[in-house]
Amino acid sequence: MANSLEKFLSANKDIKKKEETDHINLENLWGDDTFICRFDKATDFKAIENVELPAEFSALYHKDLNSIEFIFGVIPPENKYLDRKFKFHYNSLEFEAGFDRPTEALKLIAIGFRVMQVKSDTDYRNLGMYSDYFKQEAQSESMKRFFKDKTPTNFFIKGDFSKIHNDFIGLAKHLNFYMRYYDRRTPTILIFDIDKEKEKFALPCHSETNEFPKVLNVRKVEPVILDLLHIANETTSVRLKYIFYYQILEYCSYYNLNEELKRKLSNIVKNPDVLNNSSHYSRQIIEEFKNYFKANDDKQKLEKLIIDYCDYDDIKIEIKCNHKYFSQDLVFDGGFKISALVKNEEESENPSKTIMKDIVDKIDRIRNVLVHIRESRENKVILPTKRNNHLLVPYLYLIRRIAEIIAIKYE
């Protein structure tokens, strides 16, 4: 038993083993710190001795069986996926795929599963429902009724992975594409963005330096903006998050009228004969709007919005927390370049007078390349790579803070 566990740990070097009086705790399975697996010391670990846990998936790689087991769920018997099995050819090699009962290895891990954090970006590798299913004796009667007649089911791919150099990610991306091509409702393989070597960025947070307010003045946020904030927070894609926050700025800048225009329009409608000479005043209004929009392209509107609603002090925390990042030139995979925003930490505290315009320019250029992949004004791109997603994070923090400030103040 001990030998089997040591084999498992040898193949999964990021897992940490901690012994208690009667239990063995395994932490950081899949490189995930949101849960642990706890076992009695008498547990037989033979079922997992040939298993690797690829951090990019909710899956078990059975080396001895040439099989990857993707953790799916507990489903009713009428579910059509229970019977779905097929072969496919990839890189001139034949593989088999289909849904089937989970292995003893998965059952063992699920029984040991214990939640450690309230929130998990990986949904605890889909182990929660399995843990409840395999420990039904400890569940309530309502949970037992819920699981009655349901079948634990996983998705398997079998083949000689060594001939594709264990490129599970490339295989999964291709298979997801073709499965969805034929069945728009098909479950697909979740692929998590894992990069152990990447630099850790600080998460700018006001409560780190200031006490959380005892009283909050919650102003109503415009519904469209509120929905965009919600979806930006819900999505896990860095690129999509960035675009959603930019859409908030885009939306507000479109409707943001400058004070001079407001004054002119107000003076027009205050004329006592406005009802009698509506045609005349309508033309004046149209003329004012025409001149306004002619003199303001989208970039100018964006700049005006941000400068009208944000001071540097409002967003300084975002720059200071990651001043090393913002004080270097960035080159993304694909060749797109962003010059340093500040020279050093001191300048992040006392920046140049043009800092807000520089910020607008950079977040606008990033957005254009993300949306258009090869934007007409740029001959370089930001490719959808893990490294690029990571490099975008501090600018994502920055645009998020700007969007939130405008959402609070915008009327």
Side-chain angles (χ1 to χ4, degrees), residues 10 42 52 55 90 101 121 123 130 132 164-165 225 254-255 273 285 287 289-290 293 317 340 342 352 360 372 375 403:
S10 178
E52 289 183 9
Y90 176 73
R101 288 292 189 98
D121 290 336
D123 198 21
Y130 272 121
D132 292 339
I164 60 168
H165 309 289
I225 300 173
Y254 182 82
Y255 291 106
D273 62 338
I285 291 172
E287 197 64 30
F289 271 108
K290 185 176 70 174
F293 287 115
I317 185 176
V342 293
S352 68
V360 174
H372 302 296
E375 208 269 332

Side-chain angles (χ1 to χ4, degrees), residues 206 310-318 348-349 351 356 405:
H206 284 305
C310 292
D311 293 324
Y312 182 72
D313 285 345
D314 295 327
I315 58 175
K316 181 163 62 177
I317 185 176
E318 311 296 320
S348 72
E349 177 68 42
M356 294 304 293
I405 290 166

Side-chain angles (χ1 to χ4, degrees), residues 355-373:
I355 186 69
M356 294 304 293
K357 289 188 176 183
D358 292 342
I359 289 171
V360 174
D361 178 67
K362 287 173 171 52
I363 65 175
D364 183 61
R365 287 180 59 213
I366 290 172
R367 174 265 182 191
N368 290 340
V369 176
L370 289 180
V371 170
H372 302 296
I373 196 68

Side-chain angles (χ1 to χ4, degrees), residues 191-308:
I191 305 173
F192 302 113
D193 188 1
I194 305 295
D195 187 352
K196 296 176 184 176
E197 303 301 321
K198 65 189 180 184
E199 177 188 357
K200 299 295 184 184
F201 296 126
L203 177 65
C205 186
H206 284 305
S207 63
E208 295 290 334
T209 54
N210 299 298
E211 184 181 353
F212 193 89
K214 293 287 191 280
V215 180
L216 286 170
N217 180 29
V218 179
R219 296 182 70 250
K220 275 194 93 171
V221 176
E222 210 276 327
V224 173
I225 300 173
L226 197 61
D227 286 341
L228 285 169
L229 287 168
H230 175 74
I231 195 65
N233 184 59
E234 290 297 305
T235 185
T236 58
S237 167
V238 172
R239 299 166 77 94
L240 279 178
K241 281 179 179 286
Y242 191 98
I243 290 168
F244 285 133
Y245 286 124
Y246 188 93
Q247 285 182 337
I248 293 170
L249 306 183
E250 203 170 36
Y251 175 84
C252 293
S253 66
Y254 182 82
Y255 291 106
N256 184 45
L257 301 178
N258 63 28
E259 291 304 317
E260 183 182 1
L261 180 60
K262 288 180 182 177
R263 181 180 56 78
K264 288 180 178 179
L265 295 179
S266 179
N267 287 340
I268 290 172
V269 298
K270 286 177 182 177
N271 281 293
D273 62 338
V274 67
L275 296 178
N276 291 326
N277 293 301
S278 57
S279 297
H280 169 70
Y281 292 119
S282 295
R283 286 194 295 273
Q284 283 191 23
I285 291 172
I286 292 170
E287 197 64 30
E288 293 296 343
F289 271 108
K290 185 176 70 174
N291 292 335
Y292 173 73
F293 287 115
K294 186 187 296 183
N296 290 273
D297 62 17
D298 291 341
K299 174 76 172 293
Q300 289 174 316
K301 292 175 192 173
L302 181 69
E303 183 179 296
K304 185 177 189 318
L305 173 80
I306 293 174
I307 291 174
D308 279 352

Side-chain angles (χ1 to χ4, degrees), residues 98-149:
F99 293 86
D100 210 337
R101 288 292 189 98
T103 61
E104 288 300 312
L106 184 280
K107 182 177 179 181
L108 177 65
I109 290 173
I111 289 174
F113 171 79
R114 302 288 189 280
V115 170
M116 296 300 290
Q117 294 185 21
V118 175
K119 186 176 180 181
S120 168
D121 290 336
T122 64
D123 198 21
Y124 308 105
R125 307 286 166 163
N126 293 350
L127 289 170
M129 176 123 2
Y130 272 121
S131 179
D132 292 339
Y133 179 87
F134 289 123
K135 294 186 288 188
Q136 288 188 54
E137 70 282 356
Q139 304 297 332
S140 65
E141 289 303 315
S142 61
M143 283 296 287
K144 290 177 182 177
R145 287 194 297 272
F146 173 78
F147 285 123
K148 187 179 180 181
D149 298 328

Side-chain angles (χ1 to χ4, degrees), residues 7 17 28 64 67 71 106 139 175 202 204 223 253 284 344 349 353 356 378 394:
K7 284 184 178 179
K17 182 179 80 167
N28 208 45
D64 55 331
S67 172
I71 306 171
L106 184 280
Q139 304 297 332
L175 195 56
S253 66
Q284 283 191 23
N344 46 41
E349 177 68 42
K353 293 181 179 179
M356 294 304 293
E378 303 283 351

